[in-house]
Amino acid sequence: MRPKETIFVIPTYRLRDVAETIEKYDHNFWVNGHAPKIIVFDDSSVANHEKYYPLLEETKTVNDVFYVGPREKEQFINFLNQRLRDKKLESLVRNLFRPSYGGNRNFTLMYTLGHLMVSSDDDMRPDALIENSPESLSEDEICRGKLFKSNQGGFVHRSFDLLTSFEDVLGRKANLVPDNFEKGELVIDTAMELETNTTKGFFKENSLFLQRGKVSNSAVVKIAQTFRTGTNDIDTLDFVHMYLNDESQISLDDLNNVYVLVNFRPVITNKNWRMDCGVAGYDNQFGLPPFFPTRLRFEDYIYRLWIQQEGIAAAHVDAAQNHIRNNYMRNPLASEMFNEEICSLLKKKIKDGIYELEDLTIKFDYSGEVTSQDSEEILQKVSDIYNQVVKAVASTQNEERKQSLQLFAENLSRVFYGFEPDFFQQNVSRIVDDVISQFQASLEIWPTLVEICYFQKDKKDLPQTRVKNKKLKSRNGDRH
């Protein structure tokens, strides 16, 4: 094995806005004495690549930046298909790496094989919002946070040495991590359901508590994450509740609240139902399972299941990052709500069907059926929200807010098929059946693809382009 190296990746489909992300993280690495390879994985179309790639070349960085976009991805897929030499498998390969949340992240796994990988989304920043007067945590409490009005003050931006925080734990046995890490079975969020991570309701404050349990000294930390501030990891339903409860908020897309950490401390656990791939690190030295190749936002759920094997552990590291929630190219909230409801349904079904966890994959026997009860429970929840929105339309005095509420109500009705039970059940069944069949086939072929890429990377780099940007000797302004 080569000496392990940490590679920093930014998966994106918003190439227009990724330049600032690159420079912010490059600065964090430089001030903390790190020089990682930075790779941008871009899901843009060829047209958007040609339109916005020049923005990458205008960035100023100390570290080298590489790019994997539509052309490089096509070269990579062709390489895999040539090695497989089976026309029947070509569609499976394309599905695994298709433009999607999971597909783009699967490229990051292949390109960082043999290394540690740290990944941040394009709307993350390497600092965090921390309350000015932090309070002590209780005995089993590992984190506490609360909502602040964005303009009220009482918190500051604070940065952390991100790479060191991840390198302290990734690939290490539990008995070799720093002594300040707590250890236990899993982390429970007071505001979230444990196994689906769906919201229990709208909360202005929440805590993470450690459920006690023994972590084996020989368990290896395979995944880790920082804590998160800004908009945090909350459901679209929370945004709707925040909007309905704030008469001063005119547009549904605006956000008057930010999530601020009161205090936190690092922890290692046997399970991690709070896995957040937007601010995550991975021990990818020997390969990992694929992300679910889906446009639904639950691509990382596979890791919450896979991490439950004996001998594998997860970590929340001693650092935090900030999420700025970029609304550019984001689906309307009604569509996001629909996706999240389908995701919650799939999470439950897949979890209940798990029968084997392996080094590079998982196996489950759910075939994609959706019952009438499944669909009726979703419709009931969303109908309740719809009725609240209609009621808010009648009571609001601000004309702009009234129009925004009316538009949202119309979008909800359209996206959820007019709340017509049979029509909704039929369409959800088709969606779920397609998704599950794709997952099953993708999981079967993944170990073979990992083996192909593992040996190829020893001979030659996978297709990537060095960004010819403005290279800084340091952050004092000198260039070469």
Side-chain angles (χ1 to χ4, degrees):
M1 290 293 296
R2 299 173 182 172
K4 65 183 180 182
E5 169 196 5
T6 302
I7 299 175
F8 179 72
V9 304
I10 305 174
T12 185
Y13 60 94
R14 297 178 284 217
L15 189 59
R16 187 194 74 174
D17 292 353
V18 81
E20 181 184 348
T21 310
I22 293 169
E23 291 188 341
K24 293 289 187 183
Y25 279 95
D26 178 76
H27 179 263
N28 179 276
F29 302 148
W30 177 77
V31 297
N32 290 295
H34 301 291
K37 181 178 183 179
I38 299 173
I39 311 178
V40 175
F41 290 86
D42 180 25
D43 250 359
S44 293
S45 64
V46 172
N48 278 348
H49 159 80
E50 293 173 348
K51 186 176 182 180
Y52 296 118
Y53 183 79
L55 297 178
L56 295 189
E57 298 180 317
E58 295 175 8
T59 59
K60 303 172 185 177
T61 64
V62 176
N63 297 295
D64 290 337
V65 179
F66 291 82
Y67 175 79
V68 179
R71 293 187 177 91
E72 293 82 2
K73 289 182 174 183
E74 186 63 25
Q75 293 171 20
F76 172 75
I77 291 171
N78 288 337
F79 154 72
L80 288 179
N81 284 327
Q82 287 168 9
R83 289 298 177 90
L84 288 170
R85 298 179 181 177
D86 188 340
K87 287 282 186 182
K88 291 180 292 185
L89 298 178
E90 290 186 3
S91 61
L92 290 183
V93 173
R94 289 195 174 276
N95 180 67
L96 256 169
F97 298 100
R98 67 185 181 136
S100 61
Y101 298 114
N104 199 18
R105 294 188 192 279
N106 285 336
F107 278 101
T108 72
L109 292 175
M110 289 304 195
Y111 274 68
T112 60
L113 267 174
H115 302 281
L116 303 181
M117 175 178 80
V118 172
S119 175
S120 290
D121 286 353
D122 57 25
D123 53 2
M124 300 305 306
R125 293 296 180 267
D127 59 8
L129 307 180
I130 308 295
E131 190 177 34
N132 284 339
S133 303
E135 306 164 9
S136 296
L137 299 172
S138 62
E139 184 176 349
D140 289 329
E141 190 178 20
I142 67 159
C143 178
R144 190 184 314 147
K146 61 178 72 170
L147 291 176
F148 278 68
K149 292 295 182 185
S150 56
N151 59 356
Q152 79 178 67
F155 58 89
V156 295
H157 285 263
R158 186 173 298 168
S159 63
F160 301 85
D161 183 348
L162 295 177
L163 288 191
T164 294
S165 296
F166 281 111
E167 290 171 350
D168 278 345
V169 296
L170 283 176
R172 293 177 180 265
K173 293 182 178 179
N175 63 337
L176 298 179
V177 303
D179 291 338
N180 63 324
F181 276 75
E182 296 289 319
K183 295 175 184 176
E185 181 66 12
L186 52 84
V187 168
I188 298 172
D189 189 330
T190 58
M192 296 282 185
E193 295 290 345
L194 177 62
E195 294 175 354
T196 61
N197 254 12
T198 51
T199 182
K200 292 180 180 178
F202 175 64
F203 294 88
K204 292 188 176 181
E205 184 170 337
N206 78 306
S207 293
L208 302 183
F209 285 93
L210 178 64
Q211 181 174 303
R212 292 292 168 179
K214 181 174 175 54
V215 178
S216 170
N217 286 336
S218 61
V220 177
V221 178
K222 300 295 288 186
I223 61 173
Q225 67 188 77
T226 66
F227 294 90
R228 186 159 108 162
T229 67
T231 51
N232 199 23
D233 185 16
I234 58 177
D235 290 351
T236 302
L237 199 57
D238 293 316
F239 286 97
V240 175
H241 282 301
M242 290 162 71
Y243 178 58
L244 292 175
N245 291 332
D246 187 353
E247 288 284 345
S248 66
Q249 185 175 336
I250 304 302
S251 171
L252 193 56
D253 291 326
D254 295 335
L255 188 64
N256 294 336
N257 295 290
V258 291
Y259 183 75
V260 177
L261 288 179
V262 176
N263 208 336
F264 63 91
R265 54 184 172 180
V267 64
I268 291 176
T269 56
N270 291 319
K271 301 176 184 177
N272 182 15
W273 293 107
R274 296 291 292 132
M275 166 69 183
D276 182 353
C277 64
V279 288
Y282 308 81
D283 174 13
N284 197 20
Q285 295 179 85
F286 302 104
L288 292 165
F291 290 92
F292 286 139
T294 174
R295 292 186 176 91
L296 301 170
R297 295 195 77 118
F298 81 123
E299 70 277 12
D300 58 357
Y301 190 69
I302 187 173
Y303 279 88
R304 299 176 197 171
L305 302 171
W306 179 81
I307 200 68
Q308 298 180 42
Q309 298 177 72
E310 290 292 327
I312 296 178
H316 284 68
V317 303
D318 199 7
Q321 298 179 69
N322 195 50
H323 184 216
I324 58 175
R325 187 174 170 83
N326 190 344
N327 286 321
Y328 166 61
M329 290 183 69
R330 187 180 289 273
N331 289 327
L333 284 186
S335 296
E336 293 280 0
M337 282 182 62
F338 179 84
N339 287 344
E340 287 180 5
E341 292 303 322
I342 303 301
C343 289
S344 295
L345 175 64
L346 285 167
K347 289 174 186 177
K348 294 174 184 175
K349 299 290 189 180
I350 292 173
K351 174 188 169 294
D352 291 343
I354 289 289
Y355 65 87
E356 192 170 347
L357 302 173
E358 299 180 352
D359 289 344
L360 296 176
T361 188
I362 68 172
K363 294 182 179 179
F364 60 91
D365 59 10
Y366 174 57
S367 57
E369 65 279 356
V370 178
T371 67
S372 295
Q373 182 179 348
D374 293 332
S375 58
E376 286 168 5
E377 287 176 357
I378 294 173
L379 279 187
Q380 184 59 56
K381 182 197 294 187
V382 180
S383 295
D384 290 344
I385 294 296
Y386 175 81
N387 292 333
Q388 291 178 44
V389 174
V390 171
K391 185 177 179 181
V393 170
S395 63
T396 188
Q397 302 300 313
N398 185 290
E399 192 60 34
E400 285 185 73
R401 179 174 165 85
K402 183 187 290 287
Q403 291 177 2
S404 180
L405 286 163
Q406 286 174 331
L407 178 61
F408 180 56
E410 292 167 4
N411 286 340
L412 273 180
S413 179
R414 183 177 67 255
V415 168
F416 284 87
Y417 303 96
F419 304 109
E420 207 288 314
D422 294 339
F423 193 29
F424 179 75
Q425 202 273 339
Q426 175 178 291
N427 282 280
V428 169
S429 295
R430 289 173 177 169
I431 293 170
V432 170
D433 182 65
D434 287 345
V435 167
I436 291 299
S437 62
Q438 291 169 356
F439 287 180
Q440 297 280 24
S442 298
L443 290 170
E444 286 185 20
I445 196 175
W446 179 258
T448 301
L449 302 183
V450 169
E451 184 177 352
I452 291 172
C453 290
Y454 200 91
F455 288 109
Q456 174 69 11
K457 281 171 60 65
D458 277 341
K459 305 172 187 175
K460 183 180 179 181
D461 282 338
L462 299 177
Q464 55 194 283
T465 299
R466 164 76 172 86
V467 178
K468 297 177 181 177
N469 64 343
K470 300 172 183 177
K471 197 73 184 298
L472 304 174
K473 288 184 178 178
S474 69
R475 282 284 171 179
N476 61 13
D478 293 334
R479 300 177 191 169
H480 64 80

